[in-house]
């Protein structure tokens, strides 16, 4: 695999520029590659092994770096950016970076971009990440390697903080769903969190539409006997601390997604979710 060297701002240069009154460069126009260094491909591979799917909304300042890291995951990679409801230059920056861009004038809603990107992907492995956090390629590769080794759904082994009181309700919902599905070993690992990766087989079994409700997709994967594992820990709470603070507007949405997943499990396994009723004789109760 070719090496890629990421640019990091030098404090001394930034200070000198500030003293001269020079404004910092627009992040959307920042050069991501060093022309003199070995480079990863600038364009999507025509026959990719890995499809990296990146939903994005108004992330022109970060999308270039996110794409650069995604391209370094594997030499045979395509990057798909789902630009939904963007009012900035996200789509044009992504196009300049050689990504396939699917643009929508209106916001698609939470996680729908994953479904749309998956429908367009042609790789054998689908890797999902977000545009609002730059995850180094070295922390993305373990998910690709896990699928190559036979895992169908490779989850981020990030469960969120459980040493606080009370524990966040979304974390409790993740633990509850995995427990009901007979996978307490996964703890709070969930398709709700990125990064995660799917095999082409997993996508065919679950269907791309199901990915718009990640807990329901996870339940479907387990119910269909797919191999689901928590393979590597990426501290997304640290990379995007805003997601773990109070007043999260997505909390109720994610809780609702888990309830929908539980409803699907009950519909398939019965009112007790597949667990027996013990010696309880309900017929005698009037």
């Amino acid at each position: 695999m070719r090496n890629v060297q990421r640019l990091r701002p030098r404090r001394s240069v930034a200070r000198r520029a500030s003293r001269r009154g020079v404004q910092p460069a627009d992040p959307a126009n920042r050069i991501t590659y060093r022309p003199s260094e070995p480079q990863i491909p600038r364009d999507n591979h025509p026959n990719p092994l890995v499809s990296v799917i990146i939903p994005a909304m108004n992330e022109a300042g970060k999308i270039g770096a996110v794409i650069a890291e995604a391209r370094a995951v594997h030499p045979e990679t395509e990057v798909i950016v789902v630009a939904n409801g963007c009012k900035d230059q996200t789509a044009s920056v992504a196009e300049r970076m050689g990504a396939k861009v699917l643009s929508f004038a209106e916001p698609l809603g939470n996680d729908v971009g994953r479904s749309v990107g998956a429908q367009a992907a042609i790789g054998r492995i689908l890797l999902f990440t977000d545009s609002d956090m730059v995850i180094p390629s070295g922390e993305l590769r373990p998910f690709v390697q896990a699928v190559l080794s036979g895992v169908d759904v490779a989850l981020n082994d990030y469960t969120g903080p459980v040493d606080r009181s009370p524990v966040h309700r979304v974390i409790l919902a993740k633990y509850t769903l995995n427990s009901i599905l007979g996978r307490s070993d996964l703890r709070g690992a969930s398709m709700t969190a990125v990064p995660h990766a799917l095999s082409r087989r997993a996508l065919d079994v679950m269907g791309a539409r199901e990915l718009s409700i990640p807990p329901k997709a996870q339940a479907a994967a387990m119910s269909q006997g797919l191999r689901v594992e928590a393979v590597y820990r990426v501290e997304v709470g640290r990379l995007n601390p805003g997601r773990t603070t109070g007043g999260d507007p997505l909390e109720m949405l994610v809780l609702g997604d888990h309830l929908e997943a539980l409803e699907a499990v009950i519909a398939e396994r019965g009112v007790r979710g597949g667990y027996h009723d013990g010696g309880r004789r309900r017929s005698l109760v009037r």
Side-chain angles (χ1 to χ4, degrees):
M1 184 177 293
R2 301 175 184 174
N3 294 323
V4 60
Q5 185 173 357
R6 293 182 291 276
L7 292 178
R8 294 176 178 169
R10 305 169 91 177
R11 293 184 179 178
S12 60
V13 173
R15 283 197 296 266
R16 286 198 299 269
S18 177
R19 292 192 188 110
R20 292 194 301 266
V22 178
Q23 295 298 320
D26 181 352
N29 296 319
R30 237 175 243 163
I31 298 173
T32 308
Y33 299 98
R34 291 181 182 272
S36 61
E37 297 292 336
Q39 298 174 9
I40 56 176
R42 289 177 180 264
D43 298 311
N44 284 349
H45 195 278
N47 186 27
L49 172 71
V50 182
S51 297
V52 185
I53 297 160
I54 310 170
M57 184 177 179
N58 297 331
E59 294 291 349
K62 287 185 180 179
I63 193 65
V66 174
I67 293 172
E69 297 295 346
R71 286 209 183 283
V73 166
H74 192 277
E76 300 171 5
T77 296
E78 70 167 348
V79 177
I80 300 173
V81 173
V82 183
N84 64 99
C86 293
K87 305 302 181 184
D88 63 0
Q89 299 301 308
T90 297
S92 60
V93 173
E95 287 172 350
R96 291 204 301 269
M97 294 289 293
K100 179 176 183 177
V101 179
L102 308 176
S103 293
F104 297 84
E106 299 297 327
L108 297 175
N110 204 52
D111 297 319
V112 174
R114 299 184 187 182
S115 296
V116 172
Q119 288 176 331
I122 59 176
R124 286 171 41 207
I125 300 170
L126 283 71
L127 175 65
F128 297 86
T129 187
D130 281 345
S131 59
D132 56 359
M133 63 181 86
V134 182
I135 302 176
S137 58
E139 295 198 71
L140 295 173
R141 291 189 197 106
F143 299 92
V144 173
Q145 292 300 322
V147 176
L148 286 173
S149 71
V151 175
D152 289 304
V153 181
L155 299 175
N156 183 359
D157 194 20
Y158 174 76
T159 59
V162 294
D163 55 350
R164 301 175 183 174
S165 182
V167 177
H168 197 285
R169 290 183 294 180
V170 168
I171 296 174
L172 292 175
K174 293 176 181 179
Y175 272 79
T176 299
L177 179 61
N178 285 335
S179 178
I180 288 176
L181 291 168
R183 291 298 306 275
S184 297
D185 59 297
L186 292 175
R187 302 181 295 161
S190 172
M191 285 180 65
T192 299
V194 294
H196 62 262
L198 305 178
S199 66
R200 174 59 60 173
R201 173 174 174 250
L203 180 65
D204 292 341
V205 168
M206 290 185 292
R209 183 176 180 179
E210 206 77 295
L211 300 181
S212 62
I213 307 175
K216 190 176 180 182
Q218 184 165 329
M222 295 183 190
S223 297
Q224 294 296 321
L226 296 176
R227 184 178 171 189
V228 181
E229 303 291 346
V231 301
Y232 186 79
R233 182 181 179 91
V234 177
E235 294 279 353
V236 290
R238 175 179 54 81
L239 292 171
N240 194 350
R243 295 190 169 196
T244 59
T245 57
D248 184 357
L250 294 179
E251 178 181 350
M252 298 308 296
L253 175 67
V254 177
L255 289 175
D257 287 350
H258 282 80
L259 289 174
E260 191 167 340
L262 290 172
E263 181 184 38
V265 172
I266 290 171
E268 179 184 352
R269 300 183 181 181
V271 294
R272 290 183 58 84
Y275 290 88
H276 65 77
D277 209 13
R280 186 178 294 121
R281 300 176 66 183
R282 296 177 186 247
S283 62
L284 299 180
V285 180
R286 296 183 182 271

